[in-house]
Amino acid sequence: LGGGEWASTAERSDLSSLASELAEDLQSDPRFNYRQVLVKDGVLVSEPQGEGGVVVTTASGVEGEEAKEAMVFLSEHEALRREDPLSPEDDFFDHLGNALGEGQKAPHLVLHARQVDESSGATNILHVFQVVPRKKEGSTVCWSPKTSVLVEGNQKLVLIEELVYEDGQAAAVEAVEPTARIVLPKTRAYLHPSASFKHTVVHSGAKPRDVNVRTIQVTQEEGSSYDMLETRVACADGSFQASASNASLSRVEVDMWQLGGETKTNFNSLSLIATSGASNGKGSKSSSASAGITHELRTKARLCHPGGQISQVAKMVASGGSSHCIFDGKVDIERYAQETDAAQIARGLLLTKRATINARPNLRIQADNVVASHGCTIADLEEEQLFYLASRGLDERTARSVLTGSFIREITQLFTTDEDMPMNKLAGRLDEAVEEAFLLCEI
């Protein structure tokens, strides 16, 4: 890993070792050009395996005319998005993130995927580890990392953004005086005609008094494709007293804007939230209640040109009286977006009576020649399926764990079945987080 400004040489060495430990073993595979990017106070970037087709730099250290032009283009386009009447209005967290980005040296990563060698068929994979700063005694930590992505025509880029906690001292700090932390990551991407962008966002774990609001803005030109895979797995075991002030909030807001026809867009998401201290299915109650955890996924897609395809699958699992999952997905099919194919489905599992899931798939159609569908189901596991597994010798808890695992498998398997993104280590960390949540689930 090279480049970057850090508090100390020791810290830089420790975090470099952490990134190497978490990184995928793709160095010897000629099909991929895999690079690690470590983001905290500064930015560390690993050397490319070969002649990479992605320029990786920071906003403050942009070098070369090509990279500078990319930055100017992205800034001008963001200004145009803000002027659009259908663009979502900035909320409190948007204003706070913008203020942090301007007033502090917030890390700003710039990725520019361009063609350098026609004979090279390697897939460019950027694995970004966003290391959440430690809490500080007696103060609120605010952090607003930013990533700008520009994918040129006919180019392909895979970006994984993984949130990593560096809280080795968190317990000691919380014991002295409870502190809060606000993390506001933002990713903006522009896809030129026939570009391909696969985007994975992973957030596992939960800390009390943490707010994490991630904003994703994507613009697609004609024939481009965008695939987003988002997972949030968190559990709380009652170590922190149940109160509104100890709650943990995470939110992902996605805004997709179509600037040309024949685009392809896929949203796949999983929310698995488990907390202790709720009544189970038989009415009993656990002894200690945990701080609440809420995760929201809000997506908006604006289709203004013909022939677009969009598909969204949102899966949610909530267990415990302090668990709350929210899905709010909106697809606007404008008047000229004829022959659009849109599908949207939200499925939720409520494993305990007091857990909460709110889901609202929403289609707004103004064109008259489209194929569109949406649906929503929220329920507990089916008794017939539990009875079948019980008849095969499985106890109730094991049967419920098997069925819940099968429910989320549709999303988790995408980490290992995608030929462009064989993330085996990342899939292993996700499986560990799921297993930890299952142990806490009152199923």
Side-chain angles (χ1 to χ4, degrees):
L1 294 171
E5 298 179 359
W6 300 85
S8 66
T9 303
E11 179 190 33
R12 174 173 171 170
S13 177
D14 291 344
L15 293 177
S16 298
S17 300
L18 174 65
S20 299
E21 179 183 345
L22 298 177
E24 299 293 329
D25 298 323
L26 299 176
Q27 286 75 9
S28 59
D29 196 327
R31 297 175 300 165
F32 307 105
N33 178 29
Y34 177 79
R35 302 171 73 179
Q36 312 158 40
V37 181
L38 192 65
V39 177
K40 192 186 172 187
D41 301 321
V43 178
L44 293 177
V45 184
S46 66
E47 297 299 325
Q49 295 169 217
E51 294 296 327
V54 180
V55 175
V56 182
T57 184
T58 61
S60 59
V62 171
E63 298 179 357
E65 290 300 321
E66 193 174 25
K68 291 179 180 178
E69 290 177 1
M71 274 297 298
V72 171
F73 177 83
L74 288 170
S75 298
E76 291 177 348
H77 175 68
E78 185 171 12
L80 290 175
R81 284 183 71 108
R82 292 180 179 275
E83 295 174 0
D84 186 272
L86 296 178
S87 181
E89 296 182 0
D90 288 348
D91 59 16
F92 167 78
F93 292 110
D94 292 319
H95 291 297
L96 179 59
N98 293 333
L100 290 172
E102 295 174 359
Q104 303 177 4
K105 292 184 178 179
H108 185 171
L109 187 65
V110 181
L111 311 177
H112 184 197
R114 82 277 191 264
Q115 186 170 347
V116 293
D117 184 3
E118 295 184 0
S119 63
S120 176
T123 300
N124 292 297
I125 302 178
L126 272 294
H127 197 157
V128 179
F129 301 99
Q130 296 172 327
V131 184
V132 180
R134 288 188 177 99
K135 293 184 177 182
K136 297 179 181 179
E137 182 179 346
S139 64
T140 297
V141 176
C142 296
W143 190 53
S144 180
K146 189 174 183 179
T147 304
S148 296
V149 181
L150 180 61
V151 185
E152 298 289 354
N154 299 303
Q155 300 304 301
K156 179 186 294 185
L157 175 64
V158 177
L159 173 64
I160 301 109
E161 294 185 288
E162 183 176 1
L163 207 66
V164 179
Y165 287 99
E166 194 207 0
D167 272 348
Q169 301 173 352
V173 172
E174 293 286 355
V176 176
E177 180 178 353
T179 58
R181 177 169 48 195
I182 301 175
V183 182
L184 306 171
K186 181 177 181 179
T187 302
R188 58 177 183 176
Y190 191 98
L191 312 184
H192 281 284
S194 301
S196 173
F197 182 35
K198 293 190 175 183
H199 187 198
T200 299
V201 176
V202 178
H203 182 188
S204 298
K207 306 292 180 182
R209 291 184 173 84
D210 262 15
V211 175
N212 186 293
V213 179
R214 182 182 295 272
T215 303
I216 301 173
Q217 297 176 347
V218 180
T219 303
Q220 293 186 243
E221 287 197 17
E222 182 178 2
S224 62
S225 66
Y226 174 66
D227 294 90
M228 188 191 81
L229 173 59
E230 184 262 339
T231 63
R232 174 71 170 112
V233 180
C235 56
D237 59 3
S239 301
F240 295 90
Q241 183 179 2
S243 68
S245 60
N246 276 338
S248 173
L249 167 68
S250 59
R251 181 193 300 166
V252 178
E253 298 181 343
V254 185
D255 180 36
M256 191 282 285
W257 191 13
Q258 184 197 47
L259 291 186
E262 306 295 333
T263 59
K264 295 181 180 180
T265 309
N266 292 295
F267 297 133
N268 293 287
S269 65
L270 169 65
S271 304
L272 173 55
I273 309 297
T275 58
S276 63
S279 62
N280 59 26
K282 298 178 178 61
S284 64
K285 218 179 240 189
S286 60
S287 57
S288 61
S290 65
I293 303 177
T294 298
H295 178 65
E296 302 179 41
L297 173 62
R298 301 183 183 275
T299 64
K300 181 176 181 180
R302 290 173 283 168
L303 303 175
C304 310
H305 299 269
Q309 298 180 23
I310 182 168
S311 173
Q312 181 166 30
V313 177
K315 290 205 165 185
M316 297 157 284
V317 180
S319 173
S322 303
S323 300
H324 192 183
C325 296
I326 300 172
F327 167 69
D328 186 355
K330 184 177 182 180
V331 177
D332 284 340
I333 303 176
E334 301 296 336
R335 176 181 176 184
Y336 297 105
Q338 303 294 338
E339 299 180 351
T340 293
D341 189 343
Q344 194 178 43
I345 185 69
R347 297 190 179 100
L349 272 184
L350 283 171
L351 298 181
T352 56
K353 287 185 177 180
R354 295 187 182 180
T356 305
I357 294 178
N358 299 116
R360 189 179 71 164
N362 186 1
L363 285 174
R364 175 177 170 270
I365 304 172
Q366 294 185 339
D368 56 10
N369 182 18
V370 301
V371 176
S373 64
H374 68 159
C376 176
T377 58
I378 299 175
D380 196 351
L381 296 169
E382 294 185 13
E383 292 296 331
E384 291 183 0
Q385 295 177 342
L386 291 171
F387 177 79
Y388 175 81
L389 293 179
S391 68
R392 296 300 185 267
L394 274 66
D395 61 80
E396 183 180 0
R397 181 174 180 84
T398 301
R400 293 179 70 88
S401 296
V402 168
L403 292 176
T404 305
S406 177
F407 176 81
I408 68 174
R409 183 63 180 166
E410 180 181 356
I411 304 299
T412 58
Q413 69 180 354
L414 297 176
F415 285 91
T416 55
T417 58
D418 191 336
E419 295 182 355
D420 293 329
M421 193 183 65
M423 299 288 103
N424 294 320
K425 279 191 175 181
L426 179 58
R429 290 194 293 276
L430 179 62
D431 288 341
E432 290 176 1
V434 169
E435 287 298 324
E436 182 182 0
F438 275 8
L439 289 175
L440 189 63
C441 283
E442 299 181 37
I443 59 178

